[in-house]
Amino acid sequence: MDRLSRDESESRFSTYVEGVVGAIGHADRAVPLRDYCLGLLMPGERKSVEPMAAVTAPARVAAQHQSLLHFVGNAPWSDERVLAKVRELVLPSIERSGPIEAWIIDDTGFPKKGRHSVGVTRQYCGQLGKQDNCQVTVTLSVANHAGSLPVAWRLYLPEDWAADTDRRDKAGVPRTIGFATKPEIALEQIRAAVAAGIPPGVVLMDAGYGADTRLRTEITALGLAYVAGIQPHTTVWPAGTGPLPPKAWSGRGRPTSRTHRDPEHQPVQAKALALGLPEAAWQTITWREGSADWLSSRYARLRVRAAHRDDRLKERRAEEWLLIEWPDSETEPTKYWLATLPDHIPFDRLVDLAQLRWRIERDYQELKQELGLAHYEGRGWRGFHHHATLCIAAYGFLISERETIPPSGSSVAPKFPAPALSDRDRPRDAADPARTAHSELDRHPAPTPHRRSRQEPRPMSLLQCAWQTQPHPSTLMTQ
């Protein structure tokens, strides 16, 4: 990278961090904020506090270690305010490629040993593909086909932890946090996103969340559409069928107001419905280009009504789409979705939205492998969430930097709005203007070893530790 490009990258990073400082409470935290994010962006195998202290302040490692440790583990700044600021700074970069299309609900696991790290219990860990000791977080990301950004992040606190006062106190779990299921946490995040005025999108979720009827119902009540994975045994009413209306009052007792079923009026399982479809109902649909070839599969869709406990309702549920995937190589259908999208939506667009969940897997991969999301070594609630928030902040900067990578991006990225810094927020004993960012920030995009999707994001840049002694400093790739 030439000197001019390095200076431009440094300037953008400095402006970005200054923008986030306004949400972190006091400008005295600007230096540890910048250094922590810088440590996450620097090349290195481990992104816990000690190695980041060594890379950001090699002449005073012990003091830097204490500063970063306090900042991430103890400082009482708000994760929600920082994530909101990151969203404000980064969403314009994502939306330059098109409006937000989806809100993606998911969770991700962190394998752990022992039982003292906050939220650790034996539960299913997606990273391991089995039950094991781990922490699990519930997240909400906003996305379009060009990019995505996590906007909410919360640790799932298992029931045994929620009821254990000693462990809660030692880990600093706030008194306001009690037990909540993962779908309940996700619903809380969606409600907060609606209240914050985040650009709306179709809510995407896998069967772990889509199987929760209350979650789907509440999303609809918020005025949002969804594409929700469901289990094969989910019961539905095919078009033209449904629960019977309330029985006519006989004149005795209380009149009934609920729908009902009889032996001739029963819903069917989604799998049974899929297996009974004629061959003409299935179409091969391609939704995007992958790293080696176009991604396609066989799908069928039909209008249905969800049937779960509808005999407790006063009215039939509205019709929605049942989308089914049955790859040629499989002996039976593999995936099912319910979708409250318009009845006139094109088939390929419905499939495209259902498959857009892949973006959140990219988020998790890059946050864990490149930015050290899984490297936090503390045990407390505050530190766990602070570390994740700072990883997302660093990730947001890299999303914005994609626009500087030629040939696809502009050679000059749009500038972040310069933040106003009041005298009250200026660091004590600081010079005016405030201190600039580190003098040797660098960006070095490396070539990818394979053909990439046109719809996948361009490779992210990472800041290079230019003061390292070796003549050719190593760089960390995000692909």
Side-chain angles (χ1 to χ4, degrees), residues 250-399:
S250 65
R252 301 175 61 184
R254 298 173 62 183
T256 181
S257 61
R258 295 179 177 178
T259 62
H260 70 286
R261 305 171 184 177
D262 64 19
E264 286 76 39
H265 292 82
Q266 293 291 324
V268 298
Q269 291 189 356
K271 181 177 179 180
L273 189 59
L275 293 174
L277 292 175
E279 184 63 29
W282 300 92
Q283 295 185 33
T284 298
I285 293 180
T286 300
W287 65 89
R288 70 177 175 90
E289 188 181 6
S291 59
D293 202 353
W294 287 92
L295 303 179
S296 64
S297 188
R298 284 201 320 155
Y299 295 89
R301 65 171 181 170
L302 61 158
R303 300 292 284 177
V304 300
R305 301 178 194 272
H308 180 68
R309 295 183 177 178
D310 60 359
D311 53 353
R312 302 182 181 184
L313 304 177
K314 294 182 180 180
E315 297 178 353
R316 294 178 174 186
R317 290 191 176 97
E319 281 192 350
E320 54 192 307
W321 286 110
L322 172 63
L323 176 66
I324 310 156
E325 180 180 4
W326 189 345
D328 286 326
S329 59
E330 299 294 335
T331 58
E332 62 183 31
T334 55
K335 292 182 181 178
Y336 304 79
W337 296 266
L338 287 174
T340 55
L341 293 166
D343 57 3
H344 58 271
I345 187 171
F347 201 166
D348 57 352
R349 175 59 174 163
L350 176 59
V351 171
D352 180 57
L353 281 170
Q355 296 291 354
L356 190 54
R357 273 197 69 256
W358 73 271
R359 287 229 55 99
I360 203 166
E361 302 301 331
R362 172 61 61 86
D363 287 344
Y364 292 153
Q365 180 184 21
E366 292 177 338
L367 282 163
K368 287 183 177 182
Q369 295 182 6
E370 316 301 349
L371 294 172
L373 179 63
H375 295 175
Y376 183 65
E377 296 176 350
R379 294 177 171 178
W381 176 276
R382 176 175 286 171
F384 179 87
H385 287 87
H386 277 5
H387 175 74
T389 296
L390 295 168
C391 287
I392 293 169
Y395 187 54
F397 175 70
L398 293 183
I399 291 171

Side-chain angles (χ1 to χ4, degrees), residues 38-62:
L38 185 63
L40 295 171
L41 292 166
M42 287 295 182
E45 294 183 1
R46 191 75 185 165
K47 303 296 179 72
S48 54
V49 171
E50 188 170 359
M52 288 198 298
V55 106
T56 56
R60 50 182 191 88
V61 175

Side-chain angles (χ1 to χ4, degrees), residues 173-184:
V173 178
R175 300 284 184 183
T176 55
I177 300 296
F179 174 72
T181 65
K182 295 170 190 174
E184 287 171 342

Side-chain angles (χ1 to χ4, degrees), residues 16 20 55 118 131 156 195 250 266 312 330 414 417 423 477:
Y16 179 81
V20 178
V55 106
V118 62
Q131 295 260 342
Y156 165 69
S250 65
Q266 293 291 324
R312 302 182 181 184
E330 299 294 335
D423 292 337
M477 284 300 299

Side-chain angles (χ1 to χ4, degrees), residues 135-195:
Q135 298 164 302
V136 174
T137 58
V138 179
T139 69
L140 175 65
S141 293
V142 296
N144 59 22
H145 282 76
S148 55
L149 177 73
V151 296
W153 177 278
R154 190 187 134 180
L155 180 69
Y156 165 69
L157 196 67
E159 286 187 86
D160 59 330
W161 263 90
D164 190 329
T165 303
D166 284 345
R167 282 202 294 175
R168 287 177 60 104
D169 289 346
K170 288 178 182 177
V173 178
R175 300 284 184 183
T176 55
I177 300 296
F179 174 72
T181 65
K182 295 170 190 174
E184 287 171 342
I185 295 172
L187 180 57
E188 180 182 330
Q189 292 174 338
I190 292 170
R191 285 173 172 160
V194 170

